[in-house]
Amino acid sequence: MNFTEMLGSFIGRSIEAFLTNQFVQGTLLSVGDGFFTLQVTDPNYNTPITQSTILVQNVEFVRILAA
Amino acid sequence: MHMVKKRLRTASCCKGRWKKPCKKKKPSRLRRPSLLIRFNALRSRFLRYAGQINRRIRILTARISRVSNETDQLQSQVIRLERQVNLLAAEVNALVGPTQSARALLQARTGTTATIETNAGSISGTIVAVGIDFVQILEPTGDIVLIPISSITAII
């Protein structure tokens, strides 16, 4: 099993994706070949909810928050 | 002389009503073919079969040579493909060799506590599982962390 397949088993969970100089938190919506999509909930209330697609090659690690 | 004998025979037949002795017919029976006839028959059969066999041998010889040529071609293709596979394996080993070593190290420490350093920070917890290209850590808080092996800078 590779990283993408393992991540696909956590669809719907709240995760934190750590990139080299960036941190993205949201709900895992989908996982594709080499990328995954999060529904990002920005703590800034002024900004709307967005979807962020992150390339796996740029990910340092992903934390799946305990339910 | 012959005429004399004939007259004597017919004369006795006319006077004394003496019938000609009946020539008993011999019972008919199959004449056995002579040895020469049998030999010729066998010879013709042999020649016919020999021709058929020679024809079959020629056909099979042609097939064998064709198959032999194809086998040689396939053998050379196999050798060429083996060389390519060896080259590719060497290239892949060069790329994934370090990852495979780290993977082996992590697999040996499965179930133990470790701290894994990455460029984005360090993660401490129990190594739960090691995949093809990632490691799964269970943090004390209960969070699960998936770390690509290529992102690991140090294992403590």
Side-chain angles (χ1 to χ4, degrees):
Chain A
M1 187 179 279
N2 61 14
F3 178 83
T4 311
E5 290 168 0
M6 188 64 183
L7 191 60
S9 62
F10 294 106
I11 288 176
R13 297 280 294 269
S14 181
I15 69 169
E16 297 173 346
F18 288 80
L19 286 64
T20 309
N21 295 314
Q22 200 175 353
F23 163 77
V24 183
Q25 183 179 355
T27 306
L28 184 61
L29 293 178
S30 64
V31 177
D33 189 14
F35 67 94
F36 57 94
T37 306
L38 295 179
Q39 185 166 326
V40 180
T41 53
D42 200 315
N44 294 331
Y45 295 103
N46 294 332
T47 56
I49 296 171
T50 58
Q51 287 187 2
S52 180
T53 300
I54 301 167
L55 299 180
V56 171
Q57 64 192 26
N58 297 325
V59 169
E60 295 294 329
F61 62 90
V62 171
R63 175 178 283 116
I64 296 101
L65 301 176
Chain B
M1 186 65 182
H2 173 68
M3 293 304 293
V4 168
K5 281 184 183 175
K6 193 176 176 184
R7 277 188 187 171
L8 284 172
R9 262 189 261 129
T10 51
S12 60
C13 179
C14 288
K15 283 188 179 177
R17 304 195 185 254
W18 184 31
K19 290 182 183 175
K20 283 184 188 174
C22 299
K23 286 184 182 175
K24 287 187 182 174
K25 286 186 181 174
K26 290 180 184 175
S28 63
R29 58 180 174 178
L30 289 173
R31 288 181 65 184
R32 289 183 66 187
S34 71
L35 196 60
L36 182 63
I37 294 171
R38 286 167 68 186
F39 173 78
N40 286 335
L42 283 170
R43 184 169 170 273
S44 64
R45 280 169 72 184
F46 169 76
L47 288 173
R48 190 166 63 242
Y49 290 147
Q52 288 176 356
I53 289 168
N54 285 336
R55 197 162 53 246
R56 289 295 305 274
I57 287 172
R58 277 198 299 275
I59 291 169
L60 288 171
T61 305
R63 276 190 201 168
I64 287 169
S65 67
R66 199 166 55 242
V67 168
S68 173
N69 287 341
E70 286 177 9
T71 305
D72 290 339
Q73 284 177 0
L74 287 171
Q75 210 162 1
S76 62
Q77 278 184 2
V78 164
I79 291 171
R80 196 168 62 245
L81 287 170
E82 274 180 354
R83 278 201 211 114
Q84 286 181 352
V85 164
N86 289 338
L87 279 172
L88 286 169
E91 286 180 15
V92 168
N93 279 337
L95 287 170
V96 303
T99 307
Q100 293 299 323
S101 305
R103 189 166 171 266
L105 184 63
L106 289 164
Q107 274 180 332
R109 293 189 60 177
T110 303
T112 65
T113 306
T115 300
I116 296 179
E117 301 278 346
T118 67
N119 290 328
S122 62
I123 303 100
S124 293
T126 308
I127 299 175
V128 174
V130 179
I132 296 172
D133 58 351
F134 75 98
V135 58
Q136 183 177 350
I137 303 284
L138 179 65
E139 290 185 318
T141 58
D143 296 337
I144 298 168
V145 182
L146 302 179
I147 309 169
I149 293 176
S150 56
S151 305
I152 297 174
T153 57
I155 302 168
I156 301 170

